[in-house]
Amino acid sequence: MQQIICQHILRWVEENLDTGLGIDALARATGYSRRTIELWFARHFGMTPGEYLSRRRMTRAAVLLRVTSLPVTEIATLLCHSNNQNFARAFRRFSGKSPTEYRNNEAWD
């Protein structure tokens, strides 16, 4: 059962990258407590669903920065960041570069 729920979490994250929904909504969708799904997911994947969701959003941002000419502020909005500064900080923690530096870098990370 845990493996089925973990697979459901992976699908849910992909379907909700740009909805702004968080782990509490995920817990409601599964019918299990937040703590239970965090434990099961961490056991299977070595990170919490929240960490996974954050990484997937930053990965999506990295792709959008490289393959589109969308402004950084629009990418931040698409991925439900409250403001551009929060997005830039989160992206720097993720990639080690600002969104603009990442976009202008010749090599893909």
Side-chain angles (χ1 to χ4, degrees):
M1 180 59 111
Q2 289 179 22
Q3 187 172 6
I4 293 169
I5 296 299
C6 287
Q7 293 302 316
H8 173 74
I9 292 169
L10 293 175
R11 282 191 306 280
W12 186 92
V13 165
E14 293 305 313
E15 293 168 1
N16 290 283
L17 285 176
D18 58 357
T19 64
L21 295 175
I23 303 309
D24 290 330
L26 169 61
R28 284 190 302 276
T30 65
Y32 290 94
S33 73
R34 180 182 177 131
R35 184 69 181 138
T36 297
I37 63 171
E38 285 176 342
L39 287 171
W40 289 354
F41 196 85
R43 189 175 300 141
H44 283 3
F45 298 110
M47 67 182 83
T48 67
E51 291 168 330
Y52 180 71
L53 177 59
S54 177
R55 285 184 186 188
R56 286 296 299 125
R57 283 184 174 149
M58 288 298 108
T59 301
R60 171 78 55 90
V63 170
L64 290 171
L65 286 166
R66 294 307 295 250
V67 301
T68 72
S69 59
L70 292 171
V72 172
T73 55
E74 191 168 337
I75 292 171
T77 301
L78 284 171
L79 296 173
C80 304
H81 278 270
S82 58
N83 65 53
N84 192 37
Q85 289 176 332
N86 287 344
F87 170 72
R89 259 191 308 276
F91 193 83
R92 185 177 292 278
R93 277 193 309 272
F94 172 75
S95 71
K97 299 177 179 131
S98 74
T100 303
E101 289 170 337
Y102 187 86
R103 173 174 269 164
N104 295 331
N105 193 9
E106 291 187 25
W108 278 69
D109 291 342

